[in-house]
């Protein structure tokens, strides 16, 4: 079956530090890949996406590149801010699987001033 | 992006009563919606897939008689937690897909507390 494995947290960084959250996946088909962010007490917001190999998703300074050869979709940001503190979920969706999304366990990021 | 509205955001109910949670797609039609449950500091657990005009598809281990799902229109799905017990207390989140887009859009979530 489909699965997503992401870096265990929690991750604590100082403001302006470089962020990497690793994500690897296994899928029965050809998936689309996503990063979602969840702030305390809220639902999930789409952060970025990539739908085919070598695509780079980017938004709000975050980037992730769809690497088919390594089945990875690592999230990066060059300079984090306190406001980036949240839980980040890597996810995939395969068209043939009734549209269901498969999520990683989430990584909690805390950015300190 | 597309907007999914979930209501209520918080609800407290007494043990044995039923609670209904609504999930609406505000600016698109969603033939499929998904209901998730999230425990503290954990990932989302898919409960069921809600299909407009037909019965929901439940994941293994989810009691369909306890978690009633109705998807009567292309913009509304409801989850009713029947005869709620304290162990049903959780954060419930819905999502919907806009046809033609790969991503799902999520509601704000509902914090259910059963006392």
């Amino acid at each position: 079956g489909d699965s997503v494995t992401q870096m265990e947290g929690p991750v604590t960084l100082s403001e302006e530090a470089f962020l990497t959250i690793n994500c690897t996946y296994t899928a029965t088909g050809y998936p689309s890949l996503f990063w979602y962010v969840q702030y305390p007490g809220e639902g999930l917001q789409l952060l970025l996406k990539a739908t085919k190999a070598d695509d780079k998703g980017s938004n709000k300074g975050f980037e992730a590149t769809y690497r088919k050869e390594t089945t990875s979709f690592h999230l990066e940001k060059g300079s984090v801010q306190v406001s980036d503190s949240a839980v980040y979920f890597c996810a995939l969706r395969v068209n043939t699987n009734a549209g269901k999304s498969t999520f990683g366990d989430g990584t909690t990021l805390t950015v300190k001033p | 992006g597309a907007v999914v509205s979930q209501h209520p955001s918080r609800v407290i109910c007494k043990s044995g009563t039923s609670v209904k949670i609504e999930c609406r797609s505000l600016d698109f039609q969603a033939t499929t919606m998904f209901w998730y449950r999230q425990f503290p500091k954990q990932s989302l657990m898919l409960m069921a897939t809600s299909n407009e005009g037909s019965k929901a598809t439940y994941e293994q281990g989810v009691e369909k008689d306890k978690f009633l799902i109705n998807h009567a229109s292309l913009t509304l799905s409801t989850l009713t937690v029947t005869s709620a017990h304290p162990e049903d207390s959780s954060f419930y989140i819905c999502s919907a897909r806009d046809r033609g887009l790969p991503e799902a859009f999520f509601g704000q979530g509902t914090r259910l507390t059963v006392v």
Side-chain angles (χ1 to χ4, degrees):
Chain A
D2 301 337
S3 67
V4 176
T5 302
Q6 63 181 99
M7 187 170 82
E8 287 188 25
V11 174
T12 303
L13 297 173
S14 297
E15 206 164 22
E16 299 184 3
F18 184 85
L19 168 71
T20 299
I21 301 178
N22 290 338
C23 172
T24 57
Y25 67 90
T26 58
T28 52
Y30 195 1
S32 295
L33 303 174
F34 310 91
W35 278 100
Y36 289 89
V37 58
Q38 184 179 34
Y39 298 100
E42 298 184 13
L44 274 65
Q45 300 175 26
L46 178 67
L47 181 59
L48 53 85
K49 67 181 177 184
T51 58
K52 61 183 187 295
D54 299 326
D55 267 1
K56 177 186 284 188
S58 61
N59 185 27
K60 300 180 181 179
F62 291 90
E63 293 183 340
T65 301
Y66 190 144
R67 300 288 188 198
K68 188 178 180 184
E69 63 276 13
T70 54
T71 60
S72 65
F73 193 55
H74 304 322
L75 182 68
E76 296 181 337
K77 186 174 185 181
S79 176
V80 293
Q81 306 299 313
V82 173
S83 57
D84 294 327
S85 298
V87 181
Y88 292 82
F89 290 94
C90 185
L92 69 82
R93 192 182 66 78
V94 178
N95 276 331
T96 55
N97 194 15
K100 291 189 287 189
S101 299
T102 301
F103 291 87
D105 288 339
T107 302
T108 300
L109 170 66
T110 302
V111 180
K112 296 188 173 180
Chain B
V3 178
V4 175
S5 176
Q6 189 173 340
H7 178 80
S9 57
R10 292 179 181 274
V11 58
I12 300 173
C13 71
K14 291 185 177 180
S15 190
T17 62
S18 295
V19 173
K20 180 185 284 188
I21 303 170
E22 293 187 348
C23 181
R24 294 181 184 273
S25 56
L26 296 187
D27 50 2
F28 67 99
Q29 294 182 332
T31 54
T32 304
M33 293 185 174
F34 304 93
W35 287 96
Y36 296 86
R37 184 172 179 176
Q38 186 180 31
F39 293 99
K41 301 187 186 300
Q42 294 190 23
S43 189
L44 282 73
M45 181 191 78
L46 180 65
M47 298 174 65
T49 302
S50 170
N51 303 297
E52 187 268 336
S54 65
K55 291 182 178 180
T57 303
Y58 290 82
E59 295 299 301
Q60 191 172 6
V62 178
E63 299 176 60
K64 61 180 180 181
D65 294 330
K66 176 142 186 84
F67 298 100
L68 300 179
I69 290 173
N70 184 282
H71 194 157
S73 77
L74 287 172
T75 59
L76 173 64
S77 175
T78 60
L79 168 67
T80 301
V81 183
T82 63
S83 187
H85 291 285
E87 57 265 31
D88 297 325
S89 299
S90 192
F91 194 57
Y92 293 87
I93 307 176
C94 71
S95 75
R97 284 186 53 231
D98 189 354
R99 201 177 306 178
L101 293 179
E103 65 267 36
F105 297 93
F106 287 81
Q108 307 93 316
T110 297
R111 171 72 59 194
L112 170 63
T113 303
V114 184
V115 297

